[in-house]
Amino acid sequence: MKTLIIHPSDTSTAFLKPIYEGIENKTVITHGKKRSEIIELIESHDRVMMMGHGSPSGLFGIGFERIFVIDNGLVEYLNQKENNVFIWCNADRFVERNKLKGFYSGMFISEVGEAYYCGLPKTPQSVVDESNNEFARMLGECFTDKKQLNESYDIIKNSYGELAKNNIVAKYNYERLYIA
């Protein structure tokens, strides 16, 4: 399986790299691609994994030519794939509105400021870091093992769910993981 990774270069989302580091036969883009190049890459890969900061309108294009590297203009191409991965804040609203398929997140706390914004004031950085690092490690293990997407979803819900019992940020994020 050929996997396209779209992960805009941003130090605040570098913790996501373990999700795809062990994947074989991958293309990773972090910046600088034009819209036409991104379309060609999506079409030539079996799976597209998109991660970083975003909104209900799409994945922010830090380092790309547009505000959003993934937005409504790419839905027709993403709709041709059934095992995509969408990990950014409020990706659920983008995925569900556009009837896309794959593993996706809702609002996802990855920074202390987001924890405060989401009603978890005084959350220490160590709690956010533990949630971030364990989520990425666990999901990365699923993709390294070449599991089917629904199987990866079940595993991450179980394993990350264990962390959620003792980590308030993981609990918040855990409740906002989906598959379609």
Side-chain angles (χ1 to χ4, degrees):
M1 175 185 305
K2 289 176 59 179
T3 302
L4 173 63
I5 315 292
I6 301 173
H7 183 193
S9 185
D10 179 350
T11 56
S12 70
T13 66
F15 73 90
L16 296 169
K17 288 180 181 178
I19 294 172
Y20 57 84
E21 284 179 330
I23 295 175
E24 297 175 9
N25 201 10
K26 67 181 177 244
T27 303
V28 179
I29 61 169
T30 60
H31 65 283
K33 297 290 184 190
K34 295 182 181 181
R35 176 71 122 205
S36 59
E37 294 172 302
I38 293 169
I39 291 170
E40 288 176 18
L41 286 166
I42 291 171
E43 290 180 322
S44 67
H45 286 77
D46 304 304
R47 170 176 60 190
V48 183
M49 298 175 73
M50 301 147 281
M51 57 196 74
H53 288 296
S55 77
S57 297
L59 178 63
F60 292 137
I62 300 163
F64 289 86
E65 68 177 3
R66 303 169 66 102
I67 292 173
F68 291 99
V69 64
I70 299 295
D71 61 15
N72 288 336
L74 297 176
V75 167
E76 70 177 284
Y77 306 100
L78 294 171
N79 218 354
Q80 297 170 14
K81 317 282 183 216
E82 293 198 2
N83 57 351
N84 293 319
V85 176
F86 306 84
I87 300 174
W88 70 77
C89 289
N90 299 306
D92 57 333
R93 293 170 58 195
F94 179 79
V95 170
E96 292 167 6
R97 181 179 66 245
N98 292 300
K99 298 178 175 71
L100 297 169
K101 300 283 186 202
F103 177 96
Y104 58 103
S105 65
M107 178 62 198
F108 193 92
I109 296 173
S110 64
E111 299 176 335
V112 170
E114 291 172 335
Y116 179 81
Y117 171 79
C118 293
L120 303 175
K122 299 181 183 176
T123 301
Q125 186 66 50
S126 60
V127 171
V128 174
D129 290 344
E130 179 184 43
S131 173
N132 287 348
N133 295 333
E134 286 300 298
F135 175 77
R137 182 190 63 76
M138 291 172 188
L139 199 53
E141 286 177 4
C142 290
F143 291 126
T144 301
D145 290 342
K146 300 177 184 169
K147 294 182 178 4
Q148 295 296 319
L149 200 57
N150 60 341
E151 187 179 2
S152 295
Y153 174 78
D154 291 341
I155 290 169
I156 198 72
K157 287 295 278 190
N158 288 329
S159 57
Y160 193 56
E162 284 300 311
L163 178 63
K165 292 176 182 177
N166 300 309
N167 181 304
I168 190 79
V169 173
K171 181 180 187 304
Y172 183 94
N173 293 341
Y174 168 83
E175 294 170 351
R176 291 159 183 82
L177 297 175
Y178 312 100
I179 192 163

